């Protein structure tokens, strides 16, 4: 009996040494995110205003997919409002309304730099992509359509197999004309801080399986 148990232990240990990711299809590992928070505008004369004077609300809705434990992508729709400081006759802080769409790639830094053997409770994502922004006509600025790079970082804390809490800091780097003032700064940058929930659909958790070597069997 002892000999049998000993042999069984070594056999199953040998089977479990090698693992591989289970196979997933196109419709697996999709998720949706809803986020809300604040935006702070960095541009000409931002330093002339108090920090709270340039804070505005921000909302975002994202749909994405994880291709594997490290790489993924998402489509994000966001926007609402920004505030910018003008040094003219009115010396005023004016509101800019806009809508934004971003196509981002995601890299899971947690799984990139640590061994993956199942879903982790905390994941840190690096975000990078391209954004398209439409500025609505307000204060005589007229409309504008701007394309630029988009970058950020997101922390994700799993609450269950389907739900997690996320905290994100991201920003598009826009052409200098976004706020209607040219010169002084090469980019206009609305910096967004967002807090939200992520819901993962069926088969949204990556799993590993033991590889059984036919020769060992």
């Amino acid at each position: 009996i002892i000999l049998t148990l000993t042999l069984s232990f070594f056999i199953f240990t040998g089977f479990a040494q090698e693992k591989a990711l289970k196979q997933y299809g196109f419709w697996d590992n999709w998720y949706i995110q809803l986020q809300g928070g604040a935006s702070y505008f960095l541009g000409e004369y931002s330093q002339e205003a108090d920090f709270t004077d340039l804070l505005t609300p921000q909302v975002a809705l994202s749909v994405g997919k994880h291709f594997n434990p490290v790489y993924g992508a998402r489509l994000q729709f966001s926007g609402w409002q920004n505030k910018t400081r003008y040094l003219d006759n009115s010396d005023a802080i004016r509101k800019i309304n806009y809508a934004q769409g971003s196509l981002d790639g995601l890299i899971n830094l947690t799984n990139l730099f640590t061994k993956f053997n199942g879903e982790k409770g905390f994941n840190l994502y690096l975000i990078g992509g391209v954004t398209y922004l439409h500025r609505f006509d307000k204060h005589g600025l007229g409309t504008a359509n701007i394309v630029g790079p988009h970058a950020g970082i997101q922390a994700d804390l799993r609450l269950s197999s389907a739900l997690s809490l996320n905290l994100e800091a991201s920003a598009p780097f826009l052409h200098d004309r976004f706020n209607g003032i040219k010169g002084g700064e090469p980019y206009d940058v609305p910096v967004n801080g967002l807090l939200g929930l992520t819901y993962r659909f069926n088969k949204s958790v990556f799993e590993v399986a033991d590889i059984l070597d036919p020769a060992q069997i």
Side-chain angles (χ1 to χ4, degrees):
I1 294 173
I2 294 175
L3 179 60
T4 302
L5 292 175
T6 303
L7 289 173
S8 299
F9 171 78
F10 283 109
I11 289 172
F12 286 110
T13 300
F15 287 167
Q17 284 178 350
E18 293 187 52
K19 294 181 179 293
L21 192 67
K22 290 185 178 181
Q23 296 298 309
Y24 294 91
F26 175 79
W27 297 110
D28 299 330
N29 304 102
W30 286 87
Y31 66 90
I32 187 170
Q33 286 179 338
L34 181 62
Q35 300 166 300
S39 181
Y40 177 79
F41 184 76
L42 289 174
E44 292 82 4
Y45 315 125
S46 294
Q47 68 276 8
E48 304 294 334
D50 292 336
F51 178 79
T52 54
D53 289 341
L54 300 183
L55 283 177
T56 53
Q58 176 83 354
V59 293
L61 175 67
S62 304
V63 177
K65 174 180 170 62
H66 296 295
F67 305 118
N68 55 50
V70 176
Y71 299 106
R74 74 175 185 184
L75 180 62
Q76 184 185 73
F77 300 96
S78 61
W80 194 335
Q81 193 178 89
N82 274 134
K83 290 181 179 178
T84 185
R85 178 68 182 266
Y86 284 81
L87 293 182
D88 54 16
N89 294 333
S90 62
D91 195 24
I93 294 176
R94 298 177 184 172
K95 297 177 181 179
I96 302 173
N97 294 332
Y98 70 97
Q100 175 182 327
S102 301
L103 180 61
D104 297 316
L106 291 87
I107 300 177
N108 188 320
L109 299 177
T110 304
N111 290 333
L112 180 63
F113 293 109
T114 63
K115 184 178 180 180
F116 179 81
N117 54 11
E119 293 293 336
K120 297 179 174 65
F122 175 81
N123 293 279
L124 188 65
Y125 294 94
L126 185 65
I127 301 169
V130 61
T131 190
Y132 167 81
L133 184 143
H134 176 78
R135 184 188 70 198
F136 297 100
D137 187 10
K138 195 174 182 69
H139 300 298
L141 287 179
T143 61
N145 298 296
I146 304 173
V147 177
H150 183 238
I153 193 165
Q154 182 184 109
D156 183 275
L157 179 64
R158 285 183 180 267
L159 304 177
S160 69
S161 60
L163 197 66
S164 62
L165 183 70
N166 63 74
L167 179 64
E168 177 179 327
S170 60
F173 293 82
L174 306 173
H175 189 278
D176 190 33
R177 70 178 185 275
F178 170 68
N179 65 345
I181 305 173
K182 293 184 179 181
E185 300 292 340
Y187 293 99
D188 290 336
V189 185
V191 181
N192 305 313
L194 300 168
L195 178 67
L197 291 173
T198 302
Y199 176 78
R200 293 177 293 276
F201 298 100
N202 274 341
K203 296 184 180 180
S204 62
V205 176
F206 287 105
E207 296 179 353
V208 292
D210 295 335
I211 298 178
L212 299 183
D213 186 351
Q216 288 182 313
I217 294 175

